[in-house]
Amino acid sequence: MDIKYTAEAVSSGDARNGHVRSSDGVIDQAMTMPKELGGPGGGTNPEQLFAAGYAACFHQALKLAGGQSDVDVNSTSVEARVGLGPDAESFGLQVWITATVPGTDQETADRLVARAHELCPYSKATRGNIGVEVTAKV
């Protein structure tokens, strides 16, 4: 693969209650364990950052799929939910993606979202590793 961009970030301090910073300083965020996991809440956490990244990446893949199919996808949106729970060894993730494709019929939306799931780098990275459920809405 011919790498065109590499993102860099460092986690420091007390991990989930520490700090993350990207090499360019755009992300410079305190991390806080969610209340649901026994922490104080009130800050961001790895699952929120993963959900944001996956939503944006999948949305770009949806735009690409729409362009390939000559379907207007300018009013689309993508919601990503990332769940964290115990598995056999430690913890695991589950992802739910909901892509809204207004102005199309359900069959077209389903087809575009399935294609986006094939194209999205996050979907490729998670395929076979964690559960990812993808839904299309019109």
Side-chain angles (χ1 to χ4, degrees):
M1 183 178 353
D2 180 20
I3 302 297
K4 301 293 184 192
Y5 171 74
T6 301
E8 298 176 39
V10 173
S11 171
S12 60
D14 190 20
R16 283 186 167 270
N17 290 305
H19 197 90
V20 293
R21 186 175 191 286
S22 61
S23 59
D24 61 5
V26 171
I27 297 172
D28 192 355
Q29 190 72 41
M31 303 296 284
T32 306
M33 181 83 74
K35 287 182 180 182
E36 297 83 353
L37 296 176
T44 195
N45 58 67
E47 293 71 38
Q48 288 176 331
L49 295 173
F50 185 59
Y54 205 155
C57 188
F58 196 95
H59 199 193
Q60 185 62 45
L62 182 60
K63 298 277 189 173
L64 178 59
Q68 290 175 342
S69 299
D70 202 28
V71 175
D72 180 8
V73 289
N74 288 322
S75 298
T76 58
S77 64
V78 174
E79 174 189 37
R81 295 172 37 231
V82 175
L84 175 72
D87 65 12
E89 296 180 286
S90 60
F91 284 84
L93 299 174
Q94 169 71 40
V95 176
W96 298 269
I97 301 282
T98 302
T100 303
V101 188
T104 64
D105 56 74
Q106 188 64 49
E107 182 179 327
T108 300
D110 288 340
R111 181 174 43 80
L112 289 175
V113 169
R115 179 66 177 141
H117 193 40
E118 293 173 0
L119 296 169
C120 175
Y122 275 58
S123 292
K124 290 177 183 180
T126 58
R127 192 167 288 119
N129 297 311
I130 65 172
V132 178
E133 293 180 25
V134 179
T135 304
K137 289 176 32 180
V138 293

